[in-house]
Amino acid sequence: MANKRNRPADGYRLPLHVDKARRAAALAAGWRSGPKPPQRRLILAMVGISLLCFGMATVFWLPSQSLVQDLRSRGITSAATVIDVDSKPKYVTVRLASGPRAGDEVKLSEYAGMQPDAQVNETLLVTYDPKQTSQILSRGWVEDPPPNLPAYGTAALAVLCLSLTAAAAIRRRRILRAPGPGAQPASSTKTDGL
């Protein structure tokens, strides 16, 4: 008879493949896949987009407001006759009829990419900067500028992107701080009396 080694009863081990299968089954039964947190690069990209939108809103807002403020502070009001209107690209050319620069032909400045609706041979009141005649707007637009829609639109888009970024960051933080699946809160563990 061959020499048999006596093993203790509690020393028996399952084969490795059976042990792995049991662990995998136990893990699958007790572990549920939780929601995936938003990735950092997504949050950083959203912050970048919102900063880009804020920058664009500033670029649309500041030149228009600067032009209006300059013309309000030192502008000269004059009558002008519209001599040319084109919509490709849009521009309005006027000939000043009164004031120190009477007879000069200038193109009206854009306000937020807009030009006033005008017809050829129509008379307009315009306000221009005596030092820079290229800065000229309709008098009505100097007194009461139209809404700067590009600036408002990009500012609203920036606020929307920033709020979505904050929501994604808060969701990521909550998911990452939540206890793992199968873990029990520390307050619910019972301790044996000493």
Side-chain angles (χ1 to χ4, degrees), residues 5 22-23 60 128 147 165 181:
R5 291 192 313 179
R22 279 190 175 177
R23 281 192 222 159
F60 288 136
Y128 65 92
T165 302

Side-chain angles (χ1 to χ4, degrees), residues 25-32 181-182:
L27 183 64
W31 184 74
R32 290 184 204 134

Side-chain angles (χ1 to χ4, degrees), residues 113-136:
M114 297 181 290
Q115 293 282 349
D117 292 330
Q119 303 294 327
V120 177
N121 294 328
E122 182 180 350
T123 302
L124 291 174
L125 281 177
V126 294
T127 302
Y128 65 92
D129 188 342
K131 296 178 183 174
Q132 280 186 307
T133 52
S134 63
Q135 291 188 342
I136 182 170

Side-chain angles (χ1 to χ4, degrees), residues 135-168:
Q135 291 188 342
I136 182 170
L137 277 179
S138 166
R139 179 67 187 163
W141 283 17
V142 173
E143 292 173 355
D144 185 25
N148 191 338
L149 298 179
Y152 296 157
T154 52
L157 190 60
V159 169
L160 176 69
C161 287
L162 196 59
S163 62
L164 289 174
T165 302

Side-chain angles (χ1 to χ4, degrees), residues 23-41:
R23 281 192 222 159
L27 183 64
W31 184 74
R32 290 184 204 134
S33 176
K36 290 186 178 180
Q39 296 179 354
R40 277 189 190 166
R41 65 180 174 209

